[in-house]
mmCIF file with all atom_site columns, all heavy atoms in Angstrom:
data_model
loop_
_atom_site.group_PDB
_atom_site.id
_atom_site.type_symbol
_atom_site.label_atom_id
_atom_site.label_alt_id
_atom_site.label_comp_id
_atom_site.label_asym_id
_atom_site.label_entity_id
_atom_site.label_seq_id
_atom_site.pdbx_PDB_ins_code
_atom_site.Cartn_x
_atom_site.Cartn_y
_atom_site.Cartn_z
_atom_site.occupancy
_atom_site.B_iso_or_equiv
_atom_site.pdbx_formal_charge
_atom_site.auth_seq_id
_atom_site.auth_comp_id
_atom_site.auth_asym_id
_atom_site.auth_atom_id
_atom_site.pdbx_PDB_model_num
ATOM 1   N N   . ILE A 1 35 ? 135.068 173.885 -40.130 1.00 0.00 ? 35 ILE A N   1
ATOM 2   C CA  . ILE A 1 35 ? 134.654 174.849 -39.115 1.00 0.00 ? 35 ILE A CA  1
ATOM 3   C C   . ILE A 1 35 ? 135.440 176.117 -39.297 1.00 0.00 ? 35 ILE A C   1
ATOM 4   O O   . ILE A 1 35 ? 136.643 176.131 -39.374 1.00 0.00 ? 35 ILE A O   1
ATOM 5   C CB  . ILE A 1 35 ? 134.891 174.259 -37.707 1.00 0.00 ? 35 ILE A CB  1
ATOM 6   C CG1 . ILE A 1 35 ? 134.026 172.999 -37.505 1.00 0.00 ? 35 ILE A CG1 1
ATOM 7   C CG2 . ILE A 1 35 ? 134.604 175.309 -36.630 1.00 0.00 ? 35 ILE A CG2 1
ATOM 8   C CD1 . ILE A 1 35 ? 134.360 172.233 -36.234 1.00 0.00 ? 35 ILE A CD1 1
ATOM 9   N N   . GLU A 1 36 ? 134.688 177.229 -39.349 1.00 0.00 ? 36 GLU A N   1
ATOM 10  C CA  . GLU A 1 36 ? 135.284 178.534 -39.658 1.00 0.00 ? 36 GLU A CA  1
ATOM 11  C C   . GLU A 1 36 ? 135.497 179.356 -38.386 1.00 0.00 ? 36 GLU A C   1
ATOM 12  O O   . GLU A 1 36 ? 136.535 179.988 -38.220 1.00 0.00 ? 36 GLU A O   1
ATOM 13  C CB  . GLU A 1 36 ? 134.304 179.271 -40.597 1.00 0.00 ? 36 GLU A CB  1
ATOM 14  C CG  . GLU A 1 36 ? 134.811 180.555 -41.178 1.00 0.00 ? 36 GLU A CG  1
ATOM 15  C CD  . GLU A 1 36 ? 135.702 180.330 -42.389 1.00 0.00 ? 36 GLU A CD  1
ATOM 16  O OE1 . GLU A 1 36 ? 135.580 179.300 -43.040 1.00 0.00 ? 36 GLU A OE1 1
ATOM 17  O OE2 . GLU A 1 36 ? 136.539 181.219 -42.630 1.00 0.00 ? 36 GLU A OE2 1
ATOM 18  N N   . TRP A 1 37 ? 134.517 179.307 -37.532 1.00 0.00 ? 37 TRP A N   1
ATOM 19  C CA  . TRP A 1 37 ? 134.570 180.145 -36.309 1.00 0.00 ? 37 TRP A CA  1
ATOM 20  C C   . TRP A 1 37 ? 133.761 179.462 -35.218 1.00 0.00 ? 37 TRP A C   1
ATOM 21  O O   . TRP A 1 37 ? 132.725 178.874 -35.486 1.00 0.00 ? 37 TRP A O   1
ATOM 22  C CB  . TRP A 1 37 ? 133.949 181.519 -36.640 1.00 0.00 ? 37 TRP A CB  1
ATOM 23  C CG  . TRP A 1 37 ? 134.125 182.547 -35.537 1.00 0.00 ? 37 TRP A CG  1
ATOM 24  C CD1 . TRP A 1 37 ? 135.200 183.380 -35.383 1.00 0.00 ? 37 TRP A CD1 1
ATOM 25  C CD2 . TRP A 1 37 ? 133.204 182.850 -34.468 1.00 0.00 ? 37 TRP A CD2 1
ATOM 26  N NE1 . TRP A 1 37 ? 135.003 184.180 -34.262 1.00 0.00 ? 37 TRP A NE1 1
ATOM 27  C CE2 . TRP A 1 37 ? 133.795 183.855 -33.691 1.00 0.00 ? 37 TRP A CE2 1
ATOM 28  C CE3 . TRP A 1 37 ? 131.969 182.320 -34.092 1.00 0.00 ? 37 TRP A CE3 1
ATOM 29  C CZ2 . TRP A 1 37 ? 133.168 184.393 -32.558 1.00 0.00 ? 37 TRP A CZ2 1
ATOM 30  C CZ3 . TRP A 1 37 ? 131.346 182.837 -32.947 1.00 0.00 ? 37 TRP A CZ3 1
ATOM 31  C CH2 . TRP A 1 37 ? 131.943 183.857 -32.186 1.00 0.00 ? 37 TRP A CH2 1
ATOM 32  N N   . VAL A 1 38 ? 134.242 179.587 -33.982 1.00 0.00 ? 38 VAL A N   1
ATOM 33  C CA  . VAL A 1 38 ? 133.551 179.009 -32.819 1.00 0.00 ? 38 VAL A CA  1
ATOM 34  C C   . VAL A 1 38 ? 133.664 180.004 -31.695 1.00 0.00 ? 38 VAL A C   1
ATOM 35  O O   . VAL A 1 38 ? 134.760 180.551 -31.448 1.00 0.00 ? 38 VAL A O   1
ATOM 36  C CB  . VAL A 1 38 ? 134.228 177.707 -32.348 1.00 0.00 ? 38 VAL A CB  1
ATOM 37  C CG1 . VAL A 1 38 ? 133.467 177.104 -31.152 1.00 0.00 ? 38 VAL A CG1 1
ATOM 38  C CG2 . VAL A 1 38 ? 134.339 176.694 -33.470 1.00 0.00 ? 38 VAL A CG2 1
ATOM 39  N N   . GLY A 1 39 ? 132.580 180.286 -31.003 1.00 0.00 ? 39 GLY A N   1
ATOM 40  C CA  . GLY A 1 39 ? 132.687 181.222 -29.856 1.00 0.00 ? 39 GLY A CA  1
ATOM 41  C C   . GLY A 1 39 ? 131.298 181.533 -29.298 1.00 0.00 ? 39 GLY A C   1
ATOM 42  O O   . GLY A 1 39 ? 130.284 181.028 -29.788 1.00 0.00 ? 39 GLY A O   1
ATOM 43  N N   . PRO A 1 40 ? 131.305 182.382 -28.279 1.00 0.00 ? 40 PRO A N   1
ATOM 44  C CA  . PRO A 1 40 ? 130.022 182.796 -27.705 1.00 0.00 ? 40 PRO A CA  1
ATOM 45  C C   . PRO A 1 40 ? 129.291 183.759 -28.631 1.00 0.00 ? 40 PRO A C   1
ATOM 46  O O   . PRO A 1 40 ? 129.930 184.542 -29.314 1.00 0.00 ? 40 PRO A O   1
ATOM 47  C CB  . PRO A 1 40 ? 130.405 183.478 -26.380 1.00 0.00 ? 40 PRO A CB  1
ATOM 48  C CG  . PRO A 1 40 ? 131.872 183.784 -26.508 1.00 0.00 ? 40 PRO A CG  1
ATOM 49  C CD  . PRO A 1 40 ? 132.479 182.924 -27.563 1.00 0.00 ? 40 PRO A CD  1
ATOM 50  N N   . ALA A 1 41 ? 127.986 183.690 -28.590 1.00 0.00 ? 41 ALA A N   1
ATOM 51  C CA  . ALA A 1 41 ? 127.155 184.532 -29.500 1.00 0.00 ? 41 ALA A CA  1
ATOM 52  C C   . ALA A 1 41 ? 127.504 186.007 -29.339 1.00 0.00 ? 41 ALA A C   1
ATOM 53  O O   . ALA A 1 41 ? 127.518 186.760 -30.307 1.00 0.00 ? 41 ALA A O   1
ATOM 54  C CB  . ALA A 1 41 ? 125.688 184.291 -29.190 1.00 0.00 ? 41 ALA A CB  1
ATOM 55  N N   . SER A 1 42 ? 127.852 186.391 -28.099 1.00 0.00 ? 42 SER A N   1
ATOM 56  C CA  . SER A 1 42 ? 128.163 187.819 -27.837 1.00 0.00 ? 42 SER A CA  1
ATOM 57  C C   . SER A 1 42 ? 129.363 188.326 -28.635 1.00 0.00 ? 42 SER A C   1
ATOM 58  O O   . SER A 1 42 ? 129.501 189.521 -28.847 1.00 0.00 ? 42 SER A O   1
ATOM 59  C CB  . SER A 1 42 ? 128.406 188.001 -26.354 1.00 0.00 ? 42 SER A CB  1
ATOM 60  O OG  . SER A 1 42 ? 129.473 187.188 -25.956 1.00 0.00 ? 42 SER A OG  1
ATOM 61  N N   . GLU A 1 43 ? 130.240 187.397 -29.066 1.00 0.00 ? 43 GLU A N   1
ATOM 62  C CA  . GLU A 1 43 ? 131.434 187.817 -29.800 1.00 0.00 ? 43 GLU A CA  1
ATOM 63  C C   . GLU A 1 43 ? 131.328 187.705 -31.306 1.00 0.00 ? 43 GLU A C   1
ATOM 64  O O   . GLU A 1 43 ? 132.271 187.958 -32.041 1.00 0.00 ? 43 GLU A O   1
ATOM 65  C CB  . GLU A 1 43 ? 132.646 187.001 -29.323 1.00 0.00 ? 43 GLU A CB  1
ATOM 66  C CG  . GLU A 1 43 ? 133.058 187.314 -27.906 1.00 0.00 ? 43 GLU A CG  1
ATOM 67  C CD  . GLU A 1 43 ? 134.209 186.443 -27.406 1.00 0.00 ? 43 GLU A CD  1
ATOM 68  O OE1 . GLU A 1 43 ? 134.883 185.814 -28.258 1.00 0.00 ? 43 GLU A OE1 1
ATOM 69  O OE2 . GLU A 1 43 ? 134.392 186.385 -26.182 1.00 0.00 ? 43 GLU A OE2 1
ATOM 70  N N   . LEU A 1 44 ? 130.146 187.270 -31.746 1.00 0.00 ? 44 LEU A N   1
ATOM 71  C CA  . LEU A 1 44 ? 129.981 187.043 -33.183 1.00 0.00 ? 44 LEU A CA  1
ATOM 72  C C   . LEU A 1 44 ? 129.740 188.355 -33.917 1.00 0.00 ? 44 LEU A C   1
ATOM 73  O O   . LEU A 1 44 ? 128.803 189.094 -33.590 1.00 0.00 ? 44 LEU A O   1
ATOM 74  C CB  . LEU A 1 44 ? 128.808 186.086 -33.424 1.00 0.00 ? 44 LEU A CB  1
ATOM 75  C CG  . LEU A 1 44 ? 128.505 185.730 -34.871 1.00 0.00 ? 44 LEU A CG  1
ATOM 76  C CD1 . LEU A 1 44 ? 129.660 184.891 -35.451 1.00 0.00 ? 44 LEU A CD1 1
ATOM 77  C CD2 . LEU A 1 44 ? 127.212 184.974 -34.968 1.00 0.00 ? 44 LEU A CD2 1
ATOM 78  N N   . ALA A 1 45 ? 130.583 188.663 -34.863 1.00 0.00 ? 45 ALA A N   1
ATOM 79  C CA  . ALA A 1 45 ? 130.379 189.864 -35.678 1.00 0.00 ? 45 ALA A CA  1
ATOM 80  C C   . ALA A 1 45 ? 129.310 189.541 -36.756 1.00 0.00 ? 45 ALA A C   1
ATOM 81  O O   . ALA A 1 45 ? 128.923 188.375 -36.912 1.00 0.00 ? 45 ALA A O   1
ATOM 82  C CB  . ALA A 1 45 ? 131.672 190.277 -36.334 1.00 0.00 ? 45 ALA A CB  1
ATOM 83  N N   . GLY A 1 46 ? 128.833 190.515 -37.445 1.00 0.00 ? 46 GLY A N   1
ATOM 84  C CA  . GLY A 1 46 ? 127.810 190.337 -38.471 1.00 0.00 ? 46 GLY A CA  1
ATOM 85  C C   . GLY A 1 46 ? 128.158 189.224 -39.454 1.00 0.00 ? 46 GLY A C   1
ATOM 86  O O   . GLY A 1 46 ? 129.300 189.148 -39.943 1.00 0.00 ? 46 GLY A O   1
ATOM 87  N N   . THR A 1 47 ? 127.196 188.342 -39.694 1.00 0.00 ? 47 THR A N   1
ATOM 88  C CA  . THR A 1 47 ? 127.451 187.183 -40.531 1.00 0.00 ? 47 THR A CA  1
ATOM 89  C C   . THR A 1 47 ? 126.254 186.932 -41.434 1.00 0.00 ? 47 THR A C   1
ATOM 90  O O   . THR A 1 47 ? 125.116 187.104 -41.031 1.00 0.00 ? 47 THR A O   1
ATOM 91  C CB  . THR A 1 47 ? 127.592 185.919 -39.663 1.00 0.00 ? 47 THR A CB  1
ATOM 92  O OG1 . THR A 1 47 ? 128.590 186.190 -38.688 1.00 0.00 ? 47 THR A OG1 1
ATOM 93  C CG2 . THR A 1 47 ? 128.012 184.732 -40.476 1.00 0.00 ? 47 THR A CG2 1
ATOM 94  N N   . THR A 1 48 ? 126.524 186.498 -42.648 1.00 0.00 ? 48 THR A N   1
ATOM 95  C CA  . THR A 1 48 ? 125.446 186.020 -43.488 1.00 0.00 ? 48 THR A CA  1
ATOM 96  C C   . THR A 1 48 ? 125.669 184.538 -43.777 1.00 0.00 ? 48 THR A C   1
ATOM 97  O O   . THR A 1 48 ? 126.775 184.119 -44.031 1.00 0.00 ? 48 THR A O   1
ATOM 98  C CB  . THR A 1 48 ? 125.376 186.767 -44.834 1.00 0.00 ? 48 THR A CB  1
ATOM 99  O OG1 . THR A 1 48 ? 126.670 186.673 -45.448 1.00 0.00 ? 48 THR A OG1 1
ATOM 100 C CG2 . THR A 1 48 ? 125.016 188.210 -44.653 1.00 0.00 ? 48 THR A CG2 1
#
Side-chain angles (χ1 to χ4, degrees):
I35 297 171
E36 187 81 25
W37 189 88
V38 182
S42 58
E43 291 177 16
L44 181 68
T47 307
T48 54

